[in-house]
């Protein structure tokens, strides 16, 4: 290795580290943009030849923005309503433990005895809120800027994604056949994770939600959404809600609904996790469910929320890379 080559490699490495430091604060939003690109690119590929790359990307970004803003607006409205109730209670001097219990009961449908759980309400609540106001403002600002970064990257990933992939193929020091194999493995794994976990989680959470509605669990719609999120975790997912819900019914003397919910959750809801998830994941990407579970849990620690999607991809890509290496160059 001559001096100029070594210097150039050192420069690339240094700039790579600096670039990683710049991206890291918004890593969640960059990964979100990559995930959205994977989902939207098939639509872009069909729409772009008719209207052009730029207009197609702009239309899909607008669609994504609407789909994000509408649910966010509904959530924000609920939060503002609760904040208005809290403000009025403070202004009128009605802020008591009983009022907080009423707000919590309205939100989740279950009354909690806060007085015995946490004792008397501290008198310094107001000062604590003021001390943490700046942190809340920083968090909100970071999220707003991050979502802006996501939409910006989404537009250019869609618009210039084909050129980026072509450049990546050109600079990767591997034979074209090997690069094609790795890209194909990445596509299969991404699809398996999305279809086998997002779709199956939505189905499983929805089916479990039907059981909550039929047995009269309070705020069943809220808990259904929670189960759709928890169902991303294989095996234990939705059970973390419908299991305690069955115990809640039993504790309130509703033995028959409790037993019905337990049987429904074990048999009907369990089938979607035991059969539908392995069929969707294994047949498309040949990924063992244990790898998926480890990738999700480890991905949450390493990548945060986006680790639910990218953790399994990293582990599965490692296997794919080793398989491609063994096929092309022999055993390690």
């Amino acid at each position: 290795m001559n001096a100029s080559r070594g210097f150039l490699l050192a420069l690339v490495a240094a700039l790579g580290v600096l670039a990683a430091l710049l991206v890291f604060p918004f890593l969640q939003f960059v990964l979100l943009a990559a995930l959205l690109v994977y989902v939207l690119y098939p639509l872009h590929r069909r729409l772009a030849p008719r209207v052009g790359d730029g207009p197609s990307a702009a239309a899909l970004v607008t669609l994504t923005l609407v789909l994000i803003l509408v649910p966010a607006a509904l959530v924000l409205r609920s939060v503002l309503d609760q904040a208005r109730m809290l403000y009025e209670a403070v202004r009128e001097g009605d802020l008591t433990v009983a009022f907080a219990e009423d707000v919590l009961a309205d939100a989740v449908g279950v009354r909690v005895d806060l007085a015995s759980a946490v004792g008397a309400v501290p008198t310094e609540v107001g000062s604590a809120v003021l001390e943490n106001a700046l942190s809340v403002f920083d968090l909100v600002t970071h999220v707003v800027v991050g979502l802006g970064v996501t939409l910006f990257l989404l537009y250019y990933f869609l618009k210039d994604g084909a050129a980026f992939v072509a450049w990546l193929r050109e600079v990767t020091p591997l034979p074209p056949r090997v690069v094609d194999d790795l890209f194909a493995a990445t596509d299969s794994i991404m699809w398996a994770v999305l279809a086998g976990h997002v779709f199956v989680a939505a189905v499983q959470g929805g089916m479990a939600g039907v059981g909550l509605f039929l047995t009269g669990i309070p705020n069943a719609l809220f808990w259904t959404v929670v189960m759709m999120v928890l169902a991303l975790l294989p095996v234990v997912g939705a059970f973390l809600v419908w299991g305690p819900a069955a115990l809640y019914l039993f504790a309130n003397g509703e033995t028959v609904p409790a037993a019905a919910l337990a049987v429904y959750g074990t048999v009907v809801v369990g089938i979607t996790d035991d059969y539908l998830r392995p069929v969707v994941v294994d047949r498309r990407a040949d990924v063992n469910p244990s790898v998926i579970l480890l990738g999700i849990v480890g991905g949450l620690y390493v990548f945060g929320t986006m680790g639910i999607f990218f953790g399994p991809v990293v582990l599965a890509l490692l296997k794919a890379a080793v398989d491609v290496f063994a096929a092309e160059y022999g055993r390690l």
Side-chain angles (χ1 to χ4, degrees):
M1 180 185 297
N2 55 40
S4 60
R5 179 183 176 90
F7 174 80
L8 185 58
L9 288 176
L11 179 62
V12 170
L15 292 176
V17 171
L18 291 176
L21 293 175
L22 293 175
V23 172
F24 185 77
F26 296 98
L27 179 62
Q28 292 283 324
F29 301 99
V30 174
L31 293 177
L32 176 59
L35 186 66
L36 291 173
V37 167
Y38 181 81
V39 173
L40 295 174
Y41 194 77
L43 295 175
H44 175 71
R45 189 169 50 193
R46 291 174 174 81
L47 184 59
R50 301 179 181 180
V51 300
D53 289 333
S56 174
L60 292 176
V61 169
T62 302
L63 176 63
T64 303
L65 185 60
V66 171
L67 293 177
I68 291 175
L69 282 182
V70 171
L74 295 176
V75 173
L76 180 61
R77 179 181 176 181
S78 176
V79 172
L80 290 178
D81 287 341
Q82 295 296 325
R84 177 179 55 80
M85 293 173 59
L86 181 61
Y87 170 75
E88 292 177 355
V90 172
R91 187 181 61 181
E92 300 295 332
D94 297 330
L95 180 58
T96 62
V97 174
F99 175 81
E101 292 174 350
D102 291 339
V103 173
L104 184 60
D106 291 338
V108 300
V110 178
R111 179 168 293 276
V112 179
D113 186 1
L114 294 178
S116 60
V118 299
V121 178
T123 58
E124 62 273 7
V125 169
S127 61
V129 171
L130 291 176
E131 291 175 1
N132 291 280
L134 185 58
S135 298
V136 174
F137 177 78
D138 289 342
L139 175 61
V140 172
T141 302
H142 179 75
V143 171
V144 171
V145 174
L147 290 176
V149 170
T150 297
L151 295 174
F152 183 83
L153 291 177
L154 177 59
Y155 173 79
Y156 281 102
F157 283 169
L158 288 171
K159 180 176 178 292
D160 302 324
F164 173 75
V165 172
W167 172 82
L168 194 62
R169 289 177 178 272
E170 181 179 351
V171 300
T172 300
L174 292 172
R177 181 179 63 258
V178 176
V179 176
D180 290 340
D181 290 342
L182 290 176
F183 272 91
T186 303
D187 178 63
S188 296
I189 293 163
M190 284 295 295
W191 173 256
V193 170
L194 289 176
H197 295 283
V198 177
F199 172 73
V200 174
V203 172
Q204 185 180 7
M207 294 180 65
V210 172
L212 299 188
F213 276 103
L214 294 178
T215 53
I217 294 295
N219 286 0
L221 180 60
F222 169 80
W223 292 115
T224 299
V225 175
V226 172
M227 284 190 292
M228 288 181 178
V229 176
L230 291 176
L232 291 169
L233 297 174
V235 183
V236 298
F239 171 76
L240 296 177
V241 172
W242 68 256
L247 294 177
Y248 167 80
L249 291 172
F250 182 80
N252 282 273
E254 302 182 47
T255 307
V256 174
L261 181 59
V263 173
Y264 177 83
T266 303
V267 178
V268 179
V269 178
I271 286 176
T272 62
D273 191 77
D274 294 338
Y275 294 98
L276 185 58
R277 190 191 303 269
V279 166
V280 175
V281 175
D282 294 348
R283 289 187 179 180
R284 180 67 188 263
D286 190 25
V287 181
N288 190 281
S290 63
V291 174
I292 297 293
L293 177 60
L294 180 60
I296 289 175
V297 176
L300 283 171
Y301 281 92
V302 176
F303 299 117
T305 304
M306 287 294 103
I308 293 175
F309 307 101
F310 289 93
V313 172
V314 171
L315 293 181
L317 276 180
L318 173 62
K319 177 181 180 298
V322 172
D323 290 341
V324 170
F325 185 92
E328 295 293 331
Y329 306 108
R331 295 183 179 275
L332 290 172

